[in-house]
Amino acid sequence: MAEVTEASLEFRRRMLNDPPQKDQRRLAQAFSLIRGDALMRLLVEYPRIGRVLLGELGVNRPNAESHCREDGSAFILVFTGLLDFLEAVTRTAMTGANVTVTGQETVPAVQVPQAVDTALAALYRQWDALWKGEVLATTPQALPAEAEEIAGWLCVTTTLFVILHEYAHAVLHADIQPEERTPAQELEADAWAARQALLGFGIPKNRVRSVLTGAVIMIRALAALQILGHKLPGSHPPPRERLAGILQVVRGMCEDEFAYFHVTTIVTAHDQRMEAAERSLQGLPYLPEVSAERIISTAIAMLIEVHAGRLTLGRAASELRVMFDAAGPEVLRETGAIAARILPWDAPEGPSREPEKASIIENFAAILEGLPPAIRAQIRGEA
């Protein structure tokens, strides 16, 4: 017989009042990504997790809650509305992705980037209308089978990050009411969730990029809701700060700086895409803020494609030139400092260099040579 606790009584009452409206397995499917030895490690290190009740609440609002009671019991509720919303956001974001399957032709994106931004902004507004009792009229773009498979994975990893973020509050902030949580505690929960997702699933299953992309989709989607006026419990920091905290966890788990940028290319691309949609909601200029890390990440992502023969060097140079032109002198100098460490244009060639990395370094140097002298000098620290 299950133990009766303060949390279990309230959990059962709320679940009976608002049972899940759709598939009741979504939370279980996501949490089951962490299994076997990884799950045992988590439960041994944080035994409280095994006693926290988890359920999907059939309420059409974009919420997730963790509640701890004085007797030490706790429960987590993820609302159906949040899961449905994140799924819609994920699939819309995937309409802008070119999908590469080993041994096959690249499957082109359904929409160009700016069309994706417009679609995301429209989606945010439609769901905001739904939560206010209006009719939702959404016409989601169909995805190719290859993109649909990736979207399905990202829906699961996004849900996993939601669950682990709430578990983090349950194990780290048990004495703090949700509305009293500080920005520092939200960042702590993000970092804990990212680390557990990476250790429990991302690294063992070689799905690090999927885990990180799931995290950024959740963070950016909730940021869009805040722009629309939705009130989240506690005090959530800006998305750029939240992502920086997660990426700091990743840095500490990578063998070197090149490996860090190599593994974060996709999450950086999704972050920029979703930030552009947020800017559209606010009536701001389209182009997201250009930073040194974004330039380096975008360069590596494109040069991986160049090395694989899926993108021409000229196209990569043209798209990167847009970012170089938008960057100020300080960003260009910082870009050069990072590149000098991980993509050294004067590095000697040798048989020990990995083919892909050697190709990225050589092609980055070629792109630099094609830049206007003033920009090239700033990047190389000569101006």
Side-chain angles (χ1 to χ4, degrees):
M1 183 175 179
E3 179 185 3
V4 176
T5 63
E6 292 179 21
S8 68
L9 291 173
E10 185 175 353
F11 177 82
R12 290 167 190 164
R13 176 183 62 79
R14 295 189 66 179
M15 291 292 289
L16 284 172
N17 288 342
D18 295 293
Q21 299 171 4
K22 296 183 180 180
D23 185 353
Q24 300 183 33
R25 299 170 297 175
R26 290 188 286 187
L27 298 183
Q29 180 186 16
F31 194 69
S32 68
L33 294 180
I34 301 177
R35 62 183 70 182
D37 291 343
L39 179 59
M40 289 302 298
R41 176 200 60 80
L42 187 61
L43 292 174
V44 168
E45 193 170 349
Y46 300 97
R48 181 183 179 86
I49 288 178
R51 300 192 298 271
V52 176
L53 298 168
L54 172 66
E56 178 183 335
L57 195 69
V59 174
N60 196 26
R61 293 288 295 167
N63 293 359
E65 304 174 346
S66 57
H67 296 276
C68 301
R69 296 295 174 247
E70 292 184 0
D71 64 353
S73 59
F75 67 92
I76 292 170
L77 294 172
V78 183
F79 290 23
T80 294
L82 178 61
L83 295 176
D84 289 350
F85 172 66
L86 291 175
E87 183 174 327
V89 170
T90 300
R91 287 193 156 80
T92 301
M94 277 299 298
T95 62
N98 297 310
V99 179
T100 301
V101 180
T102 303
Q104 298 181 26
E105 292 282 333
T106 297
V107 179
V110 174
Q111 301 189 99
V112 298
Q114 284 186 287
V116 179
D117 304 335
T118 301
L120 278 171
L123 178 71
Y124 294 147
R125 293 190 181 97
Q126 287 184 36
W127 281 73
D128 186 51
L130 174 67
W131 293 321
K132 292 176 179 175
E134 300 173 22
V135 176
L136 176 66
T138 180
T139 53
Q141 288 272 356
L143 291 170
E146 297 83 356
E148 179 63 38
E149 182 178 355
I150 295 174
W153 263 111
L154 292 180
C155 288
V156 178
T157 58
T158 301
T159 302
L160 177 64
F161 191 79
V162 171
I163 294 169
L164 290 176
H165 180 92
E166 295 304 324
Y167 269 121
H169 285 313
V171 300
L172 301 177
H173 311 132
D175 298 330
I176 302 166
Q177 294 300 314
E179 62 275 8
E180 297 173 352
R181 292 172 191 148
T182 66
Q185 288 159 349
E186 294 297 341
L187 292 175
E188 189 178 15
D190 283 343
W192 188 93
R195 182 173 179 79
Q196 302 312 324
L198 290 169
L199 289 176
F201 172 68
I203 294 173
K205 299 297 182 181
N206 195 28
R207 292 278 187 173
V208 170
R209 290 181 175 88
S210 294
V211 166
L212 296 177
T213 303
V216 82
I217 287 173
M218 189 206 84
I219 288 170
R220 283 292 182 186
L222 293 184
L225 295 184
Q226 288 181 293
I227 291 170
L228 291 169
H230 181 71
K231 301 296 183 184
L232 299 175
S235 181
H236 289 72
R240 180 70 59 84
E241 191 175 339
R242 296 185 69 180
L243 181 59
I246 290 171
L247 292 181
Q248 191 62 33
V249 173
V250 180
R251 278 184 183 274
M253 301 174 80
C254 288
E255 59 189 33
D256 57 33
E257 196 172 12
F258 179 84
Y260 163 76
F261 279 101
H262 195 279
V263 83
T264 57
T265 52
I266 295 176
V267 70
T268 301
H270 274 277
D271 183 51
Q272 291 183 90
R273 182 85 293 113
M274 296 184 75
E275 182 186 338
E278 288 173 33
R279 294 174 70 85
S280 175
L281 282 179
Q282 296 171 291
L284 297 173
Y286 157 74
L287 189 65
E289 182 181 338
V290 176
S291 68
E293 290 211 356
R294 282 181 168 179
I295 291 175
I296 293 294
S297 181
T298 302
I300 290 177
M302 289 184 175
L303 295 178
I304 289 171
E305 296 299 296
V306 171
H307 174 69
R310 296 186 291 263
L311 182 70
T312 66
L313 183 59
R315 176 70 181 275
S318 175
E319 294 194 20
L320 284 171
R321 175 66 189 275
V322 174
M323 299 186 79
F324 287 131
D325 287 343
E330 184 176 343
V331 170
L332 291 174
R333 285 192 292 272
E334 187 180 350
T335 300
I338 297 172
R341 295 194 301 269
I342 68 171
L343 304 172
W345 41 84
D346 55 355
E349 296 185 9
S352 62
R353 287 173 63 178
E354 299 173 10
E356 184 188 68
K357 185 173 182 180
S359 171
I360 290 171
I361 291 173
E362 290 161 11
N363 285 325
F364 186 76
I367 288 174
L368 288 187
E369 287 302 315
L371 293 173
I375 293 178
R376 185 169 65 247
Q378 288 177 327
I379 293 173
R380 289 184 167 176
E382 298 167 355

